[in-house]
Amino acid sequence: MNLSMRTQINPEVRAEDAHTHQEGSRFGNTHVSGGIVLQGNFAGGVTINSTARPDFAGPFSHSSLEPVKAYVPRPLLCDQIRIQLRDDAANNNTKTLVVWGLGGAGKTQLVLDYVRQYRTDYKATFWIEAGRKESLERDFINLYRTLFGIQMVAGQETVSVDSAVVGVKSWFAGQRGPWLMVFDGADVIENEEASEYIDIKRFFPDAASLHIIVTSRSSTAKDMTRLEGVQVGDMEEAQAAELFYRYSQLRRDDHGIEHEVKAIVKELGHLALAVTLASTYVGRTPRLQSDITVYLPEYRRRRRELLKRKPESLIHRYNESVLTTWETSYDAVHEQSPEASTLMSMLSFLSFDDIFLELFGINRQVESTGSTYNTAETVSTPFMNTYKLEECFEMLQRYSFVQWKEDQRSYAMHKLVHAWGYDRLADDMQAKISNTTFELIVEAINGCRNTPEDKLRLVPHVMANFTTVAGIRGVLYQTAEGTLNELARVGIFMTDIGRLQEGCVIETYVLNDRIRILGEEHPDTISAMNNLANTLGDQGQLDEAAKMKKEVLEKRRRILGEEHPSTITAMSNLASTLGDQGQLDEAAKMKKEVLEKRRRILGEEHPDTISAMNNLANTLGDQGQLDEAITLLEVAVQKMKRIHGEEHPHTKIAIGNWTRLITSRDVGKALAAKKNSNKKYGKESSLYVRFKRKFLRKGATSRCV
């Protein structure tokens, strides 16, 4: 590139004395204090007489091209960069590779490590800071001056960005590489309306043997190149632990410390920046150095505060905290799609994994469900159809807030992003969004297909949402009755699908809040106690279940009377638990009373009466009264077939009970005969002893209908 140049002679100044700032709309002019003047795009009659450097060797960078001292190599990712750039070596055209991922994942350090390992493969490496227009333009103007050997001179003169871009591209067009050019932090490269938008491809030279690496938080940046790109996600556990040790300077020969370090990095989601800041904090805090076990409880109490800690630029070579990094991306999402930002907040009230579209009740308006839940304080959901919801997820994926997991056919979030989405909200917004997502959960349960897989898929979201609802006390004070009624149904759903522990947690919460709000004698409070007692019994906590069921029965007798159906049900539930405890005589006596009352009040053909017959027959069988139990159960089976049909679950259970009792009786008779034979020799058959232990003492047990 040979251009004649007219300029006045001024005293030379050092390059580091120059200062750059921008004006104009998209790029404008970049003013360089102490530099030469190049008007516009080499227009206006001004010519340049400057000879381009025939070659350039070594690095060009505004800062060091070494990774931080404590960097932990990630060889699999580095190899992906190497393989993609070296593939098809015969192709001498420019190759562009995008390294993308969540803010704080370690993209820059990964590429710096690649540069360190393979810098000798290139004649020169050019590192351009593309996080802001100002830094990108500054670096390109400085690169232009470097390549053309332009000296800094005193005065107030300008070099336009357009001129620098044309000049740099011209230089590369006349040279042969191989070269490496890195555009680091090119995040705002999609939304042309954004004030910080950068048309990044405008700066790409087109030259033989040029490799370009772009680091970006935008997942769609990879679409601007034919190469697959490299996604930087969580560190491997061993890598995250090693990084923690390097900054925290903890002892490595203590298994207790090792276990705690693994727990900490897991809590931090193995995110590079989060691990770096946490371990640095530990390394600077003697209290934590002496007892690392206190860090996790402190982190959980002060999560937002600790994640706001800023890196130390000299040590970490990073300028933003974890939260600041994501807040910048969130602002960009909100500017382009307020609906997507609402979705982002809602996701923090669900599980961070396996986020499937059916959760959001497409084509179903939350306000028209007919639920008893009060939706007056909810945030209306903006997802009226599948297409709008997919657009919102696409926007979040673009900024790496969510990732599509093909194996699950659903989305996932990093657990720290998930936590940040909740922490960033003010208390009133937490309450409103909690209301909205709780209603979505209720609707998802109501609309769930009747398969175990579909129901179990809801469990993580149910529990994540319950944790937020239970943690926001103001929500329940405002809408206590509706929320607790729905929450009680959610608890029953959990126990019905066999998730007893989770159901117990929810039912305990419902009981405590109904006691607080309604009092101990209210029918809804007693119902909550009954539900919890049943779940405790199913878990095998029989003593606690029996104690609670006795209290339920006593209160229902006193408040509702002996003949009330709820009182009789309470008696039946208690009898079942007594039977499970081995108190068979008391259980049989109580079940006979239940059957007598249901016959008298409801009639012989009522389903509850038939269930009482089944339950009593089981206890009689447990007592060894097999003939009486079989006779009673035969009647129950015939009634169930007539009323429910042979394929009804209750009918099948009763038939199964009846079959087992007959088998027990027949086997018992055979073994009894064997026993009498063995007694001639003064001993009992071991098989008969086992039979007595299994059938005569415990009986052929089954679940009550």
Side-chain angles (χ1 to χ4, degrees), residues 232-249:
V232 181
D234 306 339
M235 303 181 78
E236 298 173 11
E237 181 188 58
Q239 294 170 346
E242 175 63 23
L243 182 61
F244 194 93
Y245 274 119
R246 292 188 180 186
Y247 278 113
S248 65
Q249 301 178 355

Side-chain angles (χ1 to χ4, degrees), residues 146-199:
T146 300
L147 295 179
F148 285 87
I150 298 174
Q151 297 290 327
M152 298 294 296
V153 292
Q156 293 292 327
E157 298 140 344
T158 63
V159 176
S160 77
V161 177
D162 286 340
S163 300
V165 170
V166 170
V168 169
K169 287 183 175 181
S170 298
W171 184 89
F172 274 99
Q175 307 294 332
R176 292 193 62 82
W179 315 103
L180 175 63
M181 179 174 279
V182 179
F183 290 84
D184 183 42
D187 300 323
V188 190
I189 57 177
E190 298 181 31
N191 181 19
E192 296 187 18
E193 303 301 320
S195 59
E196 292 296 314
Y197 170 75
I198 296 173
D199 182 8

Side-chain angles (χ1 to χ4, degrees), residues 23-212:
E23 292 179 356
S25 55
R26 180 166 298 179
F27 291 99
N29 287 327
T30 296
H31 300 273
V32 183
S33 302
I36 64 171
V37 180
L38 299 178
Q39 298 290 344
N41 193 12
F42 299 107
V46 178
T47 58
I48 300 175
N49 186 11
S50 177
T51 303
R53 296 177 57 167
D55 206 347
F56 180 84
F60 172 87
S61 173
H62 189 68
S63 57
S64 170
L65 288 185
E66 290 288 329
V68 294
K69 180 180 179 181
Y71 177 75
V72 175
R74 303 170 76 171
L76 292 179
L77 296 178
C78 197
D79 288 348
Q80 287 184 42
I81 297 176
R82 173 75 169 173
I83 291 170
Q84 292 188 51
L85 288 178
R86 287 301 179 187
D87 190 32
D88 189 16
N91 182 359
N92 289 326
N93 294 328
T94 299
K95 290 184 179 179
T96 303
L97 176 76
V98 175
V99 177
W100 58 279
L102 184 65
K107 301 179 292 294
T108 298
Q109 293 300 313
L110 172 66
V111 176
L112 284 170
D113 186 47
Y114 173 82
V115 171
R116 176 174 62 179
Q117 291 190 53
Y118 300 109
R119 66 176 56 181
T120 57
D121 291 359
Y122 300 97
K123 285 185 177 180
T125 298
F126 305 92
W127 190 281
I128 308 297
E129 296 181 4
R132 296 177 298 114
K133 285 195 304 183
E134 291 83 1
S135 62
L136 172 61
E137 294 169 359
R138 174 206 66 202
D139 286 354
F140 244 75
I141 289 172
N142 288 337
L143 177 58
Y144 170 76
R145 288 201 308 265
T146 300
L147 295 179
F148 285 87
I150 298 174
Q151 297 290 327
M152 298 294 296
V153 292
Q156 293 292 327
E157 298 140 344
T158 63
V159 176
S160 77
V161 177
D162 286 340
S163 300
V165 170
V166 170
V168 169
K169 287 183 175 181
S170 298
W171 184 89
F172 274 99
Q175 307 294 332
R176 292 193 62 82
W179 315 103
L180 175 63
M181 179 174 279
V182 179
F183 290 84
D184 183 42
D187 300 323
V188 190
I189 57 177
E190 298 181 31
N191 181 19
E192 296 187 18
E193 303 301 320
S195 59
E196 292 296 314
Y197 170 75
I198 296 173
D199 182 8
I200 191 69
K201 295 188 73 173
R202 175 174 179 259
F203 292 85
F204 291 174
D206 186 9
S209 302
L210 172 63
H211 291 172
I212 295 177

Side-chain angles (χ1 to χ4, degrees), residues 387-457:
Y387 311 112
K388 188 63 179 178
L389 182 61
E390 289 174 339
E391 286 177 7
C392 292
F393 270 111
E394 181 184 356
M395 177 62 67
L396 296 181
Q397 189 170 14
R398 187 177 303 169
Y399 287 87
S400 301
F401 281 138
V402 300
Q403 299 82 41
W404 175 256
K405 301 179 74 172
E406 186 63 34
D407 57 334
Q408 296 183 166
R409 305 295 299 170
S410 62
Y411 292 94
M413 297 178 74
H414 190 280
K415 63 186 303 184
L416 277 191
V417 174
H418 182 264
W420 160 77
Y422 177 87
D423 290 341
R424 67 179 299 278
L425 298 172
D427 291 346
D428 60 333
M429 285 304 296
Q430 286 182 350
K432 291 179 179 180
I433 297 177
S434 178
N435 280 342
T436 301
T437 51
F438 177 68
E439 182 66 8
L440 285 177
I441 287 292
V442 171
E443 286 300 305
I445 289 174
N446 292 339
C448 182
R449 290 188 291 268
N450 194 31
T451 65
E453 294 80 9
D454 289 324
K455 291 179 178 179
L456 289 173
R457 198 177 188 188

Side-chain angles (χ1 to χ4, degrees), residues 473-488:
R473 302 291 298 181
V475 177
L476 299 187
Y477 279 116
Q478 295 170 17
T479 58
E481 183 178 355
T483 303
L484 288 175
N485 287 343
E486 296 287 12
L487 206 50

